[in-house]
Structure formats: structure tokens, C-alpha cells
Amino acid sequence: MRLIGKYGPGAKPAAAVEADTDAWAESTESPESRPGALPAQRTSGLSERPPAGGSGPDSLVHVPTRQFAAEVGSYGPQGGALAAEGPAGAALDPAGLDPTSFETALAARESAALEARHRQAADGGDPDAACRLGTLLLRRGELEDAEAYLRRAAAAGLRAAANNLGVLLHQQGHRAEAGQWWRQAAVAGSAPAAHALGLQLRDQGEEEAAEYWLHFAADHGHPLGAYALGDLMEHRRDVRAERWFKVSADAGHREAAYRLARMREAAGDKDTAEAWYRTAAARSHARAALRLGVLLEERSGGEQALLDEAARWYRQSAQNGEARAACALGFLLRDSGDLTAAAEWWQEAAEAGDGNAANALGALHAGRGAAREAEHWYRTALDAGDQNGAFNLGLLCAGAGREQQAEQWYRRAAYAGHREACNALAVVLLQRGDESGAEPWFSKAAEAGSVDGAFNLGVLHAGRGEQRQAQEWYARAAAEGHGEAALQLAVVQEQRGNLAGALERYRQAAAGGSAEGAFRLASVLDRRGDADAEAEHWYAVAADAGHRRAQVRMGVRAAERGALEIAESWYRRAAEAGSRSAAFNLGLLLARQDSEAEAMLWYTRAADAGHGRAALRLALLALRRGEPVQAENWCRRAIDYGPAEVAERAGRLLGALHAELSA
């Protein structure tokens, strides 16, 4: 079993729903800043008013009096700023101020003067001035003063004042009255008020009325209204949702662009999805940057330029607070060989609560033999709610020989639904003879989609002689790419004489990574005699995977072609891995190359492992050296080892030895 660090090809972090981050605030505390509050309105909604000459407060920078005084110092008798000293050696402009401070101070003075004019006009009964002043105070958070002016202007019929009074009342918790003023403003044609009213009605469960007002806001060019309308329609599974998300996204709403991309991706249109992810990511949408990175990585096919671009988007997303992007970037860096940088990003993600990153760190430390650090990060993953942490703790304990603790961790993860932990727990129970306890966990693992669980369940049934059930589970595992399960099916097909079916299953087994499957496939093709090149390919696949008989076969084929160095290399690999046939063949090859002493060593190793021909060869060599007792001993062993032909020859040689010794 392998440590789980990354959850599948592509096993990549899924995106979650994000709150609307594109709301335009009308004041220092928007309604969105509190749980359950309505999104803030567009700034343009605040400045909405009947046409009037001159500049309104929206076009100026508003600086409180204290900040203004801090910037320019105290005022002299003529109202001019006193000269201020800059840092030592810094150049000052002719007025004695650096340009930035001068511009700030000038804007503040203009704003203060404008506020004073609005206040004077409002106190004199001008409703438009009252609206402007109330809006300015609302922005500054001076709600009590703002309310009086906004009420006066709203009572005079100014829709901008009614809208902004609704915002103020909503912030104060007076939602019913806020809705009344928003309705008045919306009826008068205010798109921001229609949007706010629509959201309030939606939250009250009045979806039809909410849709009407959101539609009104969207039709009047309000991007937030279009987004909220799309959101409502998507909730209802209305296909028109995509249209309104697009309207909002085209107007610059990054969350709408992200939602549109998700819809396109779910529909299988990854090209369009990628384009919208780019749009949202370019506006610093963290999850869009994450998904864009995932799509680029998926279609990279190893192309470095796309992997580099994916890394850039992961980095941007991570820097904007998306822990899953930091985790994904860590895997990308690991795959490129930069483990140090990968560990840094994983740690950042893990400390932000990403269990997958914590598991990756644990696996990294476990691979280095740092069990204590690995355990720390696996526990961190578990604390983050990732049950892979419990499973990996089980693997860690099992590797350290702490079987009882391993079983406890497997059991914890299994009860939490971790399918591979179910399989691991079943294996532990079966190994100690508890077949009845193991079977339900194998079943649970298999039903949850564990191919190893399905295969093991097949093995369990096969051990009981329940071949039909065994074949069903093998077939289920093989369908998911389990090579050893396909091998079991192939062997049955070959035994039944269904060579075509066997070949198909052997190919499936070989493709699933079964070295035995590759060897058997090559053997069948070899016997058939019409696919020599393909047979050698599969022998080579199996041999490279460490299959000893395949290595011997590769050695034999190389020797037949006269490629003795290649043959010797394959024989040595197999012989050193314990193949007695390879040891014997290596001895023969060395003997032909006049390396008799080394050949004797390999003959002996093969004979000690039970190779009859090697024992017979040693008997003949002993007889040639004039060592009849040794020859007799090797003859007896050759007779015991077989096969029949070797035993017969060894018997004749032994009889001749006895006759010679008795004479």
C-alpha cells in the first residue's frame, strides 16, 4: 500500500462557492460585511440624483478634518498652510510641501468646502443638497447625521436618497423599513435599489417577486443585479442563468465570470471555461486562478510552457489566500524535482488548514525516514478533517511494526468511510485468521470503489472454491484497471481453451502493470509463432519490471542472436534475484567464454536451489576432475531434482560409477 499524498490524477482540489467579492461599497461598512446582510450597492447608486450642474461629492476625495490637519499642519490667519519641514536633505516644493501631501491637502480642503456648501444648502431646505450631504456622511459612517438628511431628501421624492436611506437602515438592522425605501426608489427607476430589494425578497423566500426586481436591475445595466439573477436561476436549474452570468461578467463582475466558467466546464466545454477562468483570474479571483492552473496542468501533457503557466496561476491564487492552490503548486514543484520549494508551499497550505498538503508533507518526511515529523503532519491532516491522515498513520505504524496501533488507525479511517482503510483493515484481520471479520470490510471497500478491495474479495471467494463469485469480483476490479485481477481472468480463459479471450485479458493485465500478465502474454504470442516482435516487447516489459522468467527468456533470445553480452546481463539480473535457471544458463555462458571457475560458482548456486541439470553438470565436471565421490553425490541430487530426462541420465551415470568403483 502506498502513502496517500496526492488524491488521484488529477486528483486536484475542487473549487468551492465563493461569496460575491465584486460588490461596490457605498459606505465604510457595507451590508455585506455582516452575516446574512445584503450585498452593498454600486457607488453610482449613491450618487444617483436628478440632473444638476456642478460636481457632486462622488467626484472628490473625502478626507476627515483630523486627517487634513495631520497632513498640512495648523492654519495661519489667512487660512494658508504653515511651512512644514521635510526629511533631512529632501527637496520641498515652493509651498514647502512634497507634491503628494500638497495634492491630498488640496483635495481635503475642497471636500471640506463642498461639504460646508451642501450643509448650508440642505439646512436651507434644498433636498438635492440634503441627498448629497446624507450620501457623503453615509460613506464616512456617520449614520445618525446621514439619516436625517437622507430622510428629508427621500421625503421630497429623490430616488437616490430613498435608495441610500434603505442602505443605512439595513446597516442599522431595520430591514423592513429599508425594504420600503428600496421599493420606493426601485419604482422610481433605481437599478441599485431594485437589486437590493430583489435580494431582500429572495432571502424572505419570495422568489417570484425577487426575480422581477432583479430582472429590472439587470435590464437597467446593473451587473450585481444580473449576477444575482443568474444565481437565483441557477438555483432553480434554469438554463437562462448562464445568460445573466455572462451579462454580469461582461460588465466586469469577476465572480460571475468564475461561475460562468464553472458552468461551461461542467458542460464539457473546457475551452470556453478556460477563457472565463482567465477573465476572472486576471481580476484576482483566487479560485478562478486555481481552476485555470488545474486545466492547464491537465492538458499540458508534460509541455513545460503550460506547466510553467499553471504554476504562475497557482502562485497567484495561493498569494490571494487559496490554500488548495498552494498545495497544487507544491505537487507541481515536486514533480519538477524541487522538493524544497514543494515542502514550503505544502507547509503554507497545511498551516492554512489544507489536509491534502499536510498528508503530502507527512509522506515526504516518511520517505526520508523522519517518522516523528511524518506523524505530526498526518495528525495535522486528521485535525483538518482529512481521513487520509488516519489511514497514513496506520501505514506509518505498520511500517514500524506497531501492528496494534496500525489496526486502530485503519479502523478509525474505515469507520469514517475511507475505502482503502477498509481494505487495509480487512487484510490485517485476514492475516490473523479472522476471515468472517475481514469479509465485511472487503465488501465495504469494494462497494465504495476500491479496486484492491474488489480483487481481495475475489481472492477470498476463490480460496473457498466459490469460483463464480470470485470471477465476478475479479471482473469488477479488472474493469477499473486492476492488472492482477485481469490476470486471474486470463488464466481461467486459457485453461478453458479460449485463447482469444485469454489474450485479451492478458493484454489488459499487462496494461494494468502486471509483470506476470506481460510474461504470459508474451509466452502465448511466442507459442503461436506469428507475433515475434510483439512477444519480445512484452518479455522486455516483464523483464524490466523484475520478472525473473522473463529476464531468462530475454537472455536466451539474446544468446540465440549471438548478443552474448546482453544475454549475460539478463542472466545475471535474474540469477542475482534468485532464479536457478538463470544461474545455470549464466554458468553455461561463462564456461563457453573460458570462465570455468565463475561458471562453477553459478552451477553450484543453481544446484543448491534444486536445479537438476546444474547438479548433473557438476557431477560430470567432478568425474572429469577425478572426484568420483563428489560425482556420485551430485548424481544423487540430480536424480532427486529431476526432471525425468535428467534423472534418467544421472541414474545411468551413477550406475557406471558404481561399476567402475566395484571393479
Side-chain angles (χ1 to χ4, degrees), residues 223-245:
L224 281 174
Y227 172 77
L229 181 59
D231 184 54
L232 181 63
M233 288 181 170
E234 187 184 36
H235 168 69
R236 295 173 169 180
R237 293 187 169 87
D238 189 323
V239 294
R240 295 174 297 167
E242 189 170 329
R243 171 198 168 192
W244 291 110
F245 281 144

Side-chain angles (χ1 to χ4, degrees), residues 60-79:
L60 299 176
V61 178
H62 304 295
V63 180
T65 305
R66 288 183 196 168
Q67 182 180 345
F68 177 78
E71 290 285 351
V72 302
S74 58
Y75 280 79
Q78 287 75 38

